[in-house]
């Protein structure tokens, strides 16, 4: 059985869906592994390294897509979908909930497609969670990006010429990315505040040395989904939240925005009026910019200055740490595939009653099968 890893073709994508270590694991399981030439270049992995691990190198995309299983980072382009053969198993980050037209095309090609971002957040699937592995790196990088644009130092410095006060950070959203941002900012010597609608994360924020900005404890008792994501709050809470954040932002040097709601536009947390109230030279790093942004002034893939505040809107932040991001993503994919392999036949054996498969499969047998997309 052949597993193929094509080169990513979407703009700004430097990651690759397989590492030399996972190539070795697939080969040990009995798979033939084919990597398109140049697929690992953005992650500093030469073709020869893949060959040493046991993979063969395909000269072009058509050759790479001629496989039983195709692994990708990003959802396929129309040209790539045309190369997928009937019955191919596609496993990737498909962003399926916001790209139904692509899902329909995959169904028409009779591809069995798994969207890794839809893997349910259960204990058994933690090692398959691409959202967490990539968000962890994004939270770290967001702080570094913010500090890079900031024109002052971060830690408190005591010198003969005087004392420099530490920079103040505000992290909006204390999920995986937010918690890593808090930890990174603290390591750099900043004073860190954090806000989240889920009261359960208060203890996590404080354990990392952050100060939790609480808005309305009673209103947030049911602010978390069964999968651990934040729910969208009502208008009354949003008004209280805006007033509290405006107060904190006026004293903030670097704000890190990480708040996302799966399958929905990002909630607006920092309004233009709030930006105007921030001190000149302040920085906002908006990790939610691809979903519309937590600040409407952010611009996708751009760094802009508005009202004296620098807004950083890098797209696909994990790709900016392509070496580590690729290694983690590749391990997520390996952990997803390993339980599916029949040890005797060396083929994939799908138990469609398994909640991981039911939660992540979007197309099968020419049909759209995921309940959030079907109908």
């Amino acid at each position: 059985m052949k597993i193929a890893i094509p080169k990513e073709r979407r703009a700004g994508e430097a990651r690759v869906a397989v590492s030399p270590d996972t190539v070795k694991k697939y080969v040990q399981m009995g798979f033939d592994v084919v990597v398109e030439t140049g697929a690992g270049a953005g992650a500093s992995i030469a073709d020869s390294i893949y060959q040493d691990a046991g993979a063969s190198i395909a000269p072009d995309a058509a050759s790479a897509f001629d496989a039983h299983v195709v692994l990708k980072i990003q959802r396929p382009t129309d040209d790539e979908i045309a190369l997928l053969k009937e019955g191919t198993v596609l496993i990737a980050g498909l962003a399926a909930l916001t790209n139904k037209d692509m899902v329909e095309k995959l169904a028409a090609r009779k591809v069995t497609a798994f969207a890794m971002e839809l893997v349910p957040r259960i204990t058994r699937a933690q090692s398959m969670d691409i959202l967490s592995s990539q968000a962890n790196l994004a939270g770290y990088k967001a702080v570094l990006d913010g500090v890079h644009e900031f024109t002052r130092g971060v830690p408190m410095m005591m010198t003969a010429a005087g004392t420099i006060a530490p920079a103040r950070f505000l992290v909006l959203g204390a999920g995986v990315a937010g918690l890593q941002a808090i930890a990174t900012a603290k390591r750099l010597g900043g004073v860190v505040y954090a806000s989240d609608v889920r009261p359960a994360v208060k203890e996590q924020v404080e354990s990392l040395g952050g100060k939790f900005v609480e808005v309305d404890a009673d209103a947030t008792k049911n602010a978390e989904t069964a999968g651990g994501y934040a729910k969208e709050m009502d208008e009354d809470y949003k008004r209280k939240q805006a007033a509290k954040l405006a107060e904190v932002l006026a004293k903030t040097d670097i704000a890190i925005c990480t708040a996302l709601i799966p399958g929905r536009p990002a909630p607006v947390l920092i309004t233009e009026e709030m930006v105007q109230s921030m001190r000149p030279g302040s920085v906002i790093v908006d990790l939610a910019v691809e979903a519309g942004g937590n600040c409407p002034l952010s611009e996708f893939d751009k760094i802009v200055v508005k009202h004296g505040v620098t807004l950083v809107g890098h797209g696909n932040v994990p790709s900016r740490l392509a070496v580590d991001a690729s290694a983690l993503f590749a391990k997520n994919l390996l952990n997803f595939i390993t339980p599916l392999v029949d040890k005797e036949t060396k083929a994939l054996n799908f138990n469609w009653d398994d909640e991981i498969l039911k939660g992540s499969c979007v197309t099968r047998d020419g049909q759209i099968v995921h309940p959030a997309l079907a109908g």
Side-chain angles (χ1 to χ4, degrees):
M1 199 169 201
K2 183 159 70 172
I3 290 182
I5 300 85
K7 184 177 181 178
E8 297 293 326
R9 284 172 167 77
R10 291 196 176 273
E13 184 53 77
R15 293 172 292 174
V16 60
V18 72
S19 67
D21 286 341
T22 59
V23 167
K24 292 176 184 177
K25 296 289 187 182
Y26 291 131
V27 172
Q28 289 170 5
M29 285 190 279
F31 290 107
D32 293 326
V33 181
V34 178
V35 180
E36 183 182 354
T37 183
S44 302
I45 307 173
D47 290 349
S48 60
I49 296 176
Y50 283 130
Q51 288 177 310
D52 291 343
S56 57
I57 303 300
D60 52 36
S63 302
F65 277 92
D66 183 16
H68 302 94
V69 180
V70 172
L71 306 181
K72 281 182 53 60
I73 298 286
Q74 293 265 10
R75 68 189 189 279
T77 64
D78 287 349
D79 289 343
E80 289 174 320
I81 292 174
L83 294 173
L84 290 166
K85 297 185 181 300
E86 181 177 328
T88 298
V89 176
L90 172 66
I91 308 174
L94 297 178
L97 297 182
T98 53
N99 290 281
K100 190 173 180 181
D101 58 336
M102 173 210 62
V103 175
E104 291 171 347
K105 291 172 184 175
L106 291 172
R109 296 289 295 178
K110 296 187 177 179
V111 170
T112 300
F114 293 94
M116 289 296 294
E117 75 277 4
L118 297 180
V119 168
R121 285 194 157 180
I122 58 176
T123 301
R124 186 162 55 92
Q126 284 181 344
S127 65
M128 311 171 192
D129 187 356
I130 64 166
L131 297 179
S132 293
S133 72
Q134 304 302 290
N136 188 54
L137 291 169
Y140 162 78
K141 185 63 171 173
V143 172
L144 300 187
D145 286 340
V147 170
H148 182 266
E149 300 301 326
F150 192 48
T151 55
R152 287 173 38 211
V154 173
M156 179 177 6
M157 299 180 190
M158 301 181 72
T159 74
T163 300
I164 297 173
R168 294 169 65 104
F169 289 78
L170 173 61
V171 178
L172 300 176
V176 174
L179 291 173
Q180 182 57 250
I182 293 167
T184 302
K186 283 297 295 182
R187 284 196 293 267
L188 291 175
V191 175
V192 187
Y193 293 81
S195 174
D196 196 291
V197 300
R198 297 163 295 180
V201 304
K202 178 181 179 180
E203 186 176 334
Q204 294 172 290
V205 168
E206 293 175 344
S207 72
L208 293 170
K211 300 175 183 180
F212 191 69
V213 178
E214 197 159 53
V215 177
D216 185 339
D218 291 332
T220 56
K221 287 179 179 177
N222 298 307
E224 189 171 357
T225 68
Y229 296 102
K231 289 182 179 177
E232 187 165 13
M233 304 301 289
D234 61 27
E235 293 303 317
D236 182 56
Y237 177 87
K238 288 178 180 178
R239 281 192 294 272
K240 293 177 181 178
Q241 182 186 47
K244 188 67 176 180
L245 291 183
E247 177 187 331
V248 178
L249 278 165
K251 303 172 184 177
T252 294
D253 294 307
I254 301 175
I256 310 292
C257 301
T258 74
L260 287 166
I261 300 171
R264 302 283 298 277
V268 174
L269 300 180
I270 302 179
T271 64
E272 183 168 6
E273 185 179 4
M274 292 179 190
V275 174
Q276 290 174 317
S277 74
M278 295 178 73
R279 293 181 288 201
S282 300
V283 178
I284 296 172
V285 182
D286 199 340
L287 287 179
V289 68
E290 291 179 80
N294 291 148
C295 178
L297 299 186
S298 303
E299 295 186 24
F300 177 72
D301 243 0
K302 292 182 179 180
I303 298 174
V304 296
V305 178
K306 298 181 181 179
H307 305 299
V309 176
T310 300
L311 294 107
V312 181
H314 293 304
N316 194 359
V317 173
S319 182
R320 291 163 54 77
L321 295 167
V323 174
D324 291 330
S326 296
L328 295 180
F329 199 111
K331 192 65 181 292
N332 292 145
L333 293 175
L334 175 68
N335 292 335
F336 182 84
I337 292 171
T338 299
L340 305 178
V341 180
D342 187 299
K343 293 182 180 179
E344 293 183 4
T345 65
K346 308 297 183 183
L348 297 185
N349 182 22
F350 298 112
N351 172 13
W352 295 113
D353 291 325
D354 186 282
E355 61 183 314
I356 294 176
L357 299 189
K358 286 196 293 186
S360 58
C361 186
V362 292
T363 63
R364 176 163 60 97
D365 299 328
Q367 302 293 322
I368 297 174
V369 297
H370 197 280
L373 292 162

